[in-house]
């Protein structure tokens, strides 16, 4: 059985941010909830990383989009 690959937290953070940025570039406007669903990252992780991408001027939050109406957690 193969062991999961692990790395230091800064490397994983960089990879996760890169994954999110790639999805934003591919999809255009996409919600944080959808990013979490597609990447299998937690909503909290996605929100924190998106905030960093905003601060780095790599993405812009538009605040538009339709709600799925699913507020369950």
């Amino acid at each position: 059985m193969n062991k999961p690959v692990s790395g230091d937290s800064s490397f994983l953070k960089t990879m996760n941010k890169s994954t999110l940025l790639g999805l934003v570039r591919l999809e255009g406007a996409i919600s944080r909830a959808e990013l979490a669903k597609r990447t299998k990252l937690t909503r909290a992780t996605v929100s924190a990383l998106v905030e960093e991408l905003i601060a780095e001027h790599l993405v812009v939050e538009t605040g538009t989009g339709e709600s799925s109406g699913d507020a369950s957690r």
Side-chain angles (χ1 to χ4, degrees):
M1 177 183 284
N2 294 333
K3 289 186 177 184
V5 177
S6 62
D8 66 48
S9 62
S10 65
F11 174 75
L12 294 175
K13 184 178 195 178
T14 299
M15 293 303 297
N16 288 338
K17 284 170 64 174
S18 177
T19 299
L20 293 175
L21 190 57
L23 273 173
V24 170
R25 286 181 176 159
L26 181 67
E27 299 294 331
I30 186 170
S31 69
R32 292 178 189 206
E34 185 63 22
L35 287 169
K37 181 179 175 183
R38 302 246 321 250
T39 61
K40 308 255 190 282
L41 296 170
T42 67
R43 288 183 180 194
T45 297
V46 168
S47 285
L49 296 176
V50 166
E51 288 298 326
E52 289 186 23
L53 292 171
I54 291 169
E56 295 166 0
H57 304 286
L58 295 173
V59 298
V60 176
E61 190 166 45
T62 62
T64 61
E66 293 184 27
S67 171
S68 68
D70 181 20
S72 63
R73 293 181 184 213

